[in-house]
Amino acid sequence: MNTFHLIMLRPDKQFYEGEATALSVAEPTGRISVLPGHVPMFFNITTDMARLREADGTEKTFTTGEGMVAVYRDKVVLQSDFLAWEEKLDEAIRRRETAMAQEKERRRQSFREYRLNKMEMAKTFINLEKGSK
């Protein structure tokens, strides 16, 4: 076995799928490289640069966020909250910052609506109480 099937996933889509001869990623205590025939295992990965060598010898560098890797007999699955090719890293960071700002504003608006609804409900209960006397 000279290669393994590699699938890389992030929350919004499948980032990569193909045959690989090596994968090197950062884990909490250092770096780990996965080669064909690697012993099956699971491990966490951390935010850092990673490398992939495809079956044709092409080397690719990419960034990972927090996640995990599952190594099976003939397949490796990498899941991460952030994945971006090195040459598209600036664009990916801008997209992520925009998404995080939008999510923060959505949560702020949701909390405002919650507080207003809570006040309206209190007002309704006060009016109900007044009407029953």
Side-chain angles (χ1 to χ4, degrees), residues 49-127:
M49 295 304 287
R51 290 193 176 281
L52 156 68
R53 187 170 54 242
E54 295 180 305
D56 66 1
T58 303
E59 298 234 355
K60 294 185 173 185
T61 303
F62 61 98
T63 301
T64 65
E66 303 298 312
M68 64 157 295
V69 173
V71 180
Y72 302 98
R73 189 175 58 78
D74 58 352
K75 174 173 75 171
V76 175
V77 179
L78 182 152
Q79 297 175 316
S80 179
D81 65 345
F82 181 81
L83 292 168
W85 298 115
E86 180 181 35
E87 61 273 9
K88 296 182 179 181
L89 185 56
D90 290 336
E91 175 188 332
I93 289 171
R94 279 193 301 278
R95 276 196 322 266
R96 180 147 180 171
E97 287 172 344
T98 300
M100 289 173 71
Q102 289 171 340
E103 176 63 14
K104 186 176 182 179
E105 180 55 34
R106 186 195 64 76
R107 288 180 184 202
R108 187 181 345 229
Q109 179 64 28
S110 179
F111 186 66
R112 272 192 297 253
E113 290 171 6
Y114 164 77
R115 287 191 322 224
L116 287 172
N117 287 334
K118 193 172 179 181
M119 287 187 278
E120 284 294 325
M121 190 165 47
K123 180 180 163 187
T124 301
F125 282 126
I126 290 169
N127 289 336

